[in-house]
Amino acid sequence: MAHDVPIDRELDLKGEVCPYTFVKSKLVLETMKPGEVLRVIVDHEPATGNVPRSMESEGHRVLSVGPAGERTWEIIVRKKE
Amino acid sequence: MFAFTEDEIVRYSRHILLPEVGGVGQQKLKEARVLIVGAGGLGSPAAFYLAAAGIGTIGIVDDDVVDLSNLQRQILHRTQDVGTPKVESARRALEDLNPGVKVVPYRFRLDAGNVMDLIREYDVIVDGVDNFATRYLLNDACVMAGKPLVDAGILRWDGLVMTIRPGEGPCYRCVFPEPPPPGAIPSCQEAGIIGAIAGIMGTIQALETVKLILGVGETLTGRLLVVDALEGRFRQVTARRDPGCPVCGENPTITQLVEYDLACDIRGNGAGDRTAAAGGAAN
C-alpha cells in the first residue's frame, strides 16, 4: 500500500525526540512541493503517535505508520496540495 | 532547505511548531529589520521579545543614559548600567539573550534631518518615544516613507497602542491631528507610571511587529487598543482614515517634516488623562 507510493524525500530522525521529530519533519515538508511524499524514520516511539497527529493537524495526509526495523518506525506522509 | 543551525531549530522550535510561523515564518523573522525608537519603558519589552523571536537586525535609537529612576520599568537596563548609554545597555541585554541578533545602536535623538535616512533601512518601526515632538515626527516620516509604524503611549495606569500602515488605515494624525499644547499632558516624570503597563504595551508592540513581518492575523490597524490597568479593562476604539488628514489625507498640507518645540511644562493638570495615554507622554 504505502510502500507502493514513490517516496520523494527521506528523513532519518533516529536519535531525535519530540517535539524535534515533528519540528524537523515540518521544516522538510515546507521545502517540498505539494503532493510529494516524505518518509520519516524515528526511533522514539511516542513520535509514531505525535508526529502523524501534528502532520494531520497541519493538513498533510499520513499514508502509513509502521515498523521499519528493530525499534524503528516509518511515517509516510503526503504533503498537502 | 532552510539554513537553520541545530541551535536555531531548538531555540525557535516553539515558533516553528505554530502553523502561522513554521520554517518559512522563522526565516522571515531572521531576515527582518526592525527599528525601535526609544530604549525605555516600551522599547525594553518590545526589544526583548523581538530579539528572543529571532529578528535578524534590531536598530535602537536613544540619546539618553540609564538613570536609577528608569529601572522601575525599563527592564533592558540593570542597576550596574546606571550612567551608561541606553543603547549600549540595550545591546548588551539583547545580545546576551540572543547572540544571533544583530543590534545596531544609534545614540542620537531622532530629528527631521536624520529620520528619513534611518527608517529607510528598516521594515517595521516601533515607537517607544517619550514626547509628542518625536511621536509626530515619526508618524509623518513613516507615512511619507510608507513604512509600518507600531505606535504606543503610556501614562500612569493607562496605555494605548495602534499599528499604522500608511495607505491602509489611519495614521496618528488622523486620530490626533495636532500635538496637545505644551503642558496640557503631563509627562511620566511628573505624573508617574506603573511599571508593568510599559510591559503590557511594549509587548503588544512586539506582537504587532511579528504579525506584520509574518503577514498573519489582524493588526491593530484602524483600531486603537486602550488599556486601563487600574480597572483591569481592555477597550477597542475604531478609527478611520481621515481624508482631510494633514499628512496622509487626499490633499496633505504637511509635505515636509515638521519639528515641534520640545517645551515641557512640568505641571500637568489631570484633565487630559485619557488623551495623555493616547498621546503617550511617557515611555
Side-chain angles (χ1 to χ4, degrees), chain B residues 11-12 15 25-36 46-59 94 98-103 122-124 126 206-214:
Chain B
R11 181 184 284 267
Y12 303 122
H15 269 173
Q26 193 60 48
Q27 186 65 33
K28 286 183 187 171
L29 296 173
K30 192 176 179 179
E31 288 166 10
R33 299 174 57 88
V34 175
L35 182 70
I36 299 172
F48 259 133
Y49 273 109
L50 291 171
I55 299 293
T57 306
I58 298 178
L94 299 174
N98 189 350
V101 171
K102 183 183 177 202
V103 179
Y122 290 88
D123 304 312
V124 181
V126 175
L207 260 179
E208 290 288 292
T209 302
V210 165
K211 290 192 296 179
L212 283 168
I213 293 163
L214 295 176

Side-chain angles (χ1 to χ4, degrees), chain B residues 96-173:
Chain B
D96 278 357
L97 173 60
N98 189 350
V101 171
K102 183 183 177 202
V103 179
V104 187
Y106 301 101
R107 196 187 167 194
F108 51 71
R109 184 170 271 279
L110 214 60
D111 62 34
N114 60 29
V115 63
M116 293 307 277
D117 283 342
L118 194 55
I119 65 176
R120 191 172 293 126
E121 303 287 314
Y122 290 88
D123 304 312
V124 181
I125 319 298
V126 175
D127 181 341
V129 307
D130 63 352
N131 66 86
F132 285 103
T134 314
R135 189 173 300 280
Y136 278 82
L137 178 70
L138 203 49
N139 174 75
D140 297 353
C142 287
V143 168
M144 289 175 191
K147 293 283 181 183
L149 170 65
V150 184
D151 188 280
I154 48 177
L155 191 65
R156 299 194 180 109
W157 297 79
D158 296 317
L160 181 146
V161 56
M162 67 185 285
T163 293
I164 296 158
R165 303 173 77 172
E168 294 175 44
C171 79
Y172 196 76
R173 280 191 195 270

